[in-house]
Amino acid sequence: MSVLKASAAAGQRGPVDHDIRSQIVEAADEHFSHYGYGKTTVADLAKAIGFSKAYIYKFFDSKQAIGEAICARCLGSIMETVDEAVAGGKSATDKIRRLFNTISALSVELFFSDRKLYDIAAYSCAERWPSSEAYVARVEAMLTAIIREGREAGEFERKTPIDEAARAIMMAFQPFMNPMMLQYNLDAVPDGANEVVSLVLRSLAP
Amino acid sequence: MSVLKASAAAGQRGPVDHDIRSQIVEAADEHFSHYGYGKTTVADLAKAIGFSKAYIYKFFDSKQAIGEAICARCLGSIMETVDEAVAGGKSATDKIRRLFNTISALSVELFFSDRKLYDIAAYSCAERWPSSEAYVARVEAMLTAIIREGREAGEFERKTPIDEAARAIMMAFQPFMNPMMLQYNLDAVPDGANEVVSLVLRSLAP
């Protein structure tokens, strides 16, 4: 989780007062989830929370820094569940299924059960915020480790350069992982997502 | 091409006067490519072309019907090039490469060399216009035929239900085919697209 934590800290400044910082993030999360991230200013947010704008700027240097913190928290919670799900896998094949099934199911739940959180997630992807880039990098690293494990166990082929294999799989799974793409594929979770995972597993077969 | 032609005709009405109809489509294409599709009204368009609004409505029953005709023309031209490229393929494997390489390269060229054409393409996908749905169906049908050919020639595995194989490949290639997704993957054409095609071919291996 260290990469996500480091990125969450970007744009945060002033006294490291965990309580107030997370109080702001929590209130902002609540506020954005009602009114949307795009249309809210820091002034609106300050008014809603009951803090002065200047006080908020002691902790975050911009609205994006607050958005980043919300995003990092949300993606961090996805990664925690993914970590657990993958750890319970019985084989590399099983781990790949768990990895992608968990990601697509949780992404639908977190980004689309509340459309307003989709709003922040979309900004985060479109503008390549560090939180979102770090998340993708984390998933790709986890995937690479599982492929390596599967190769060592003889479950997967070994000819394709491992980086290429992982990169291509990440790309092929974008429709179910990237919130901006996922919004058009909500009907295809879980069935379509499962079919892509099966395709991925056939591509990994020795 | 009959499916695309049939869909292009939806929403068109009045005397079947090919010349005037295509004159309107041509002028609208030109106008939208400068001013964008989203923000232009039929009244703006009529003014720019020099026809009355009522006259345009003799041929098309809405702005979308004109957009549909432009889209169908554009997607039809992609399909023509794709047909030719695939016909020149030496094996099913080669045909799959040609199919997807042509689609990703032409989509980048047609939708993004002129950002305003992306505008129509995005509406077409997001709102599932018949032209865009017919295009996807055409590509999927062509892909299914190539997979069948490859299975018969012993190039591809035969265990996976052919519909599932085709559906999953279409989904995995969405990042390079769907204009709304492609806009975020422009840097990944052609290398990333090629890697996904290689993944697809590994998944088809017997």
Side-chain angles (χ1 to χ4, degrees):
Chain A
M1 303 297 293
S2 62
V3 183
L4 285 175
K5 280 200 178 136
S7 79
Q12 298 183 6
R13 64 185 181 193
V16 183
D17 186 324
H18 183 72
D19 279 351
I20 295 181
R21 197 185 295 290
S22 50
Q23 224 178 303
I24 295 173
V25 172
E26 205 114 339
D29 190 0
E30 183 68 23
H31 189 77
F32 290 149
S33 83
H34 284 292
Y35 302 98
Y37 171 80
K39 289 175 186 167
T40 307
T41 65
V42 174
D44 296 335
L45 190 61
K47 206 172 154 189
I49 303 182
F51 283 161
S52 74
K53 222 172 100 180
Y55 192 67
I56 290 181
Y57 277 122
K58 273 194 188 160
F59 295 91
F60 296 93
D61 65 7
S62 64
K63 182 174 82 163
Q64 184 180 323
I66 305 174
E68 269 285 48
I70 295 174
C71 242
R73 210 169 59 151
C74 169
L75 297 174
S77 93
I78 293 184
M79 278 317 296
E80 252 175 60
T81 314
V82 166
D83 278 339
E84 268 173 46
V86 168
K90 288 183 190 81
S91 62
T93 299
D94 190 24
K95 287 179 181 178
I96 297 244
R97 282 215 178 274
R98 285 164 173 256
L99 174 65
F100 288 115
N101 289 346
T102 310
I103 286 176
S104 56
L106 279 182
S107 301
V108 169
E109 194 186 309
L110 283 170
F111 302 144
F112 298 95
S113 65
D114 180 350
R115 282 291 296 180
K116 301 291 187 187
L117 192 51
Y118 162 73
D119 185 15
I120 292 194
Y123 273 92
S124 166
C125 279
E127 297 172 2
R128 299 177 183 262
W129 289 1
S131 53
S132 144
E133 301 274 288
Y135 167 69
V136 172
R138 273 268 300 160
V139 173
E140 189 164 336
M142 188 182 273
L143 171 63
T144 308
I146 301 174
I147 298 176
R148 185 168 295 118
E149 186 186 322
R151 288 180 172 200
E152 279 161 11
E155 280 176 79
F156 299 156
E157 60 95 9
R158 301 169 193 217
K159 270 192 290 183
T160 314
I162 196 163
D163 291 352
E164 179 191 329
R167 222 169 24 233
I169 294 171
M170 291 297 289
M171 196 58 101
F173 207 72
Q174 258 197 20
F176 299 106
M177 193 170 157
N178 180 314
M180 282 176 307
M181 307 195 182
L182 183 55
Q183 69 177 315
Y184 300 107
N185 293 319
L186 292 173
D187 290 350
V189 176
D191 296 349
N194 275 331
E195 288 182 353
V196 172
V197 175
S198 297
L199 179 154
V200 161
L201 287 171
R202 289 194 296 278
S203 82
L204 289 168
Chain B
M1 304 297 293
S2 61
V3 183
L4 284 174
K5 279 202 178 132
S7 78
Q12 300 182 4
R13 64 186 182 192
V16 182
D17 186 323
H18 181 72
D19 280 350
I20 295 180
R21 197 185 295 289
S22 48
Q23 222 178 305
I24 295 173
V25 171
E26 205 116 336
D29 190 359
E30 182 68 22
H31 189 76
F32 290 150
S33 82
H34 284 293
Y35 302 99
Y37 170 81
K39 290 176 185 165
T40 306
T41 65
V42 174
D44 297 334
L45 191 60
K47 206 172 154 189
I49 303 183
F51 283 162
S52 74
K53 221 172 101 181
Y55 192 67
I56 290 180
Y57 277 121
K58 273 193 189 162
F59 296 91
F60 296 94
D61 65 7
S62 63
K63 183 175 83 164
Q64 184 180 324
I66 305 174
E68 268 287 48
I70 295 174
C71 241
R73 210 170 59 150
C74 169
L75 296 175
S77 92
I78 293 184
M79 277 319 293
E80 254 175 59
T81 314
V82 166
D83 277 339
E84 269 173 45
V86 168
K90 290 182 188 81
S91 61
T93 300
D94 190 25
K95 286 180 181 178
I96 296 242
R97 283 216 177 273
R98 285 163 174 258
L99 173 66
F100 288 114
N101 289 347
T102 310
I103 287 176
S104 55
L106 279 182
S107 301
V108 170
E109 194 187 309
L110 284 169
F111 302 143
F112 297 96
S113 65
D114 182 347
R115 282 291 298 181
K116 300 291 188 188
L117 192 51
Y118 162 73
D119 185 16
I120 293 193
Y123 274 91
S124 167
C125 280
E127 297 171 2
R128 298 178 183 260
W129 288 2
S131 53
S132 142
E133 300 273 288
Y135 167 69
V136 172
R138 274 267 301 158
V139 174
E140 188 164 336
M142 187 182 276
L143 171 63
T144 307
I146 301 173
I147 299 176
R148 185 169 295 117
E149 187 187 320
R151 288 180 173 200
E152 279 161 12
E155 279 176 80
F156 299 155
E157 59 96 8
R158 301 169 192 217
K159 271 192 289 184
T160 314
I162 196 163
D163 292 351
E164 179 191 329
R167 223 168 25 233
I169 293 171
M170 291 297 288
M171 196 57 100
F173 207 71
Q174 258 197 21
F176 299 105
M177 194 171 156
N178 181 313
M180 282 176 308
M181 306 195 183
L182 184 54
Q183 68 176 316
Y184 300 107
N185 293 319
L186 293 173
D187 290 350
V189 176
D191 295 349
N194 275 331
E195 289 182 352
V196 171
V197 176
S198 298
L199 178 154
V200 162
L201 288 171
R202 289 194 297 277
S203 83
L204 289 168

